[in-house]
Amino acid sequence: IYPYGCTEQTMSSYLPYVIVAETLSRLKVNGRVDDAGLRAKMQAGLERLKDYQHEDGGWGWWKEDSSRVYMTAYVVSGIGQGAQFAPLTSDQRPMLNRGMAYLRSELDKHPRMRPELRAAVVYALAEAGDKRLQGALDAQWSRRKDLQPEALAMTGLAMLQVHDTRAAEMATLLASEAVR
């Protein structure tokens, strides 16, 4: 389906497998899908992502290019979602931890990061289970009236993931931005 095999395409093939596997599990649907085959495809995607991870812990479009914050956020959030369904192996967990460290480092190095990009990073870290997000969530909260709908939604989802009570207020603010 994805002929070039770049980081984005690898994640875009891995994540649907995660969603299907999680959905089948939650609905307790058995026998219609080859569970072992599904898990094998998920593992193959993780192995390719592990191979594409850069020395600094981030991911770019390709194995040889520079790390990109948004691409790393996409990968970290996807692996984080997958880990909630199928726990990572002992050699995959460090991959996620290095990606999370890269994102935290980028947040620290760039305090004036575009709000939409910051929201993607915060969401990714929340999906990956990072418990050290209070400062980043507070920063997004303080800028909430200036955030575009996408950043509001991602920040709200991050808050929801970490059980921040402000998530409901973010949802209300996002709903008020809806164009009918």
Side-chain angles (χ1 to χ4, degrees):
I1 295 176
Y2 297 102
Y4 304 110
C6 65
T7 302
E8 185 272 333
Q9 289 183 347
T10 301
M11 180 52 67
S12 292
S13 63
Y14 166 77
L15 199 52
Y17 293 133
V18 169
I19 293 167
V20 167
E22 183 178 359
T23 302
L24 292 173
S25 174
R26 285 184 182 186
L27 295 176
K28 297 180 181 14
V29 175
N30 296 321
R32 294 195 173 195
V33 174
D34 175 18
D35 189 55
L38 189 59
R39 288 184 184 277
K41 289 175 182 173
M42 290 169 56
Q43 289 304 315
L46 284 173
E47 287 306 311
R48 184 175 190 116
L49 290 168
K50 184 177 168 191
D51 185 48
Y52 270 43
Q53 189 172 31
H54 298 158
E55 287 295 317
D56 61 7
W59 282 269
W61 288 94
W62 300 100
K63 187 175 180 176
E64 301 83 15
D65 65 351
S66 299
S67 292
R68 306 283 185 204
V69 173
Y70 191 81
M71 185 60 63
T72 302
Y74 181 46
V75 173
V76 167
S77 67
I79 293 173
Q81 288 174 41
Q84 293 173 34
F85 172 72
L88 298 174
T89 63
S90 61
D91 66 323
Q92 292 167 340
R93 174 56 61 182
M95 171 181 58
L96 178 59
N97 291 342
R98 289 180 57 230
M100 292 168 61
Y102 171 84
L103 291 176
R104 282 193 299 272
S105 171
E106 291 299 306
L107 282 177
D108 291 343
K109 284 194 293 190
H110 304 286
R112 297 182 58 160
M113 185 183 289
R114 280 190 355 253
E116 293 74 19
L117 185 55
R118 178 174 288 276
V121 169
V122 170
Y123 170 74
L125 290 170
E127 281 294 325
D130 192 330
K131 304 295 183 206
R132 298 176 285 171
L133 290 177
Q134 197 59 52
L137 290 172
D138 291 344
Q140 288 296 97
W141 178 255
S142 70
R143 298 179 187 140
R144 67 190 177 278
K145 299 215 186 293
D146 300 322
L147 297 179
Q148 296 297 313
E150 179 183 14
L152 284 170
M154 292 183 108
T155 303
L157 287 170
M159 289 177 165
L160 191 64
Q161 185 72 20
V162 300
H163 309 290
D164 186 316
T165 58
R166 298 174 292 185
E169 292 177 63
M170 288 299 261
T172 300
L173 186 55
L174 179 61
S176 75
E177 295 288 320
V179 176
R180 293 184 174 90

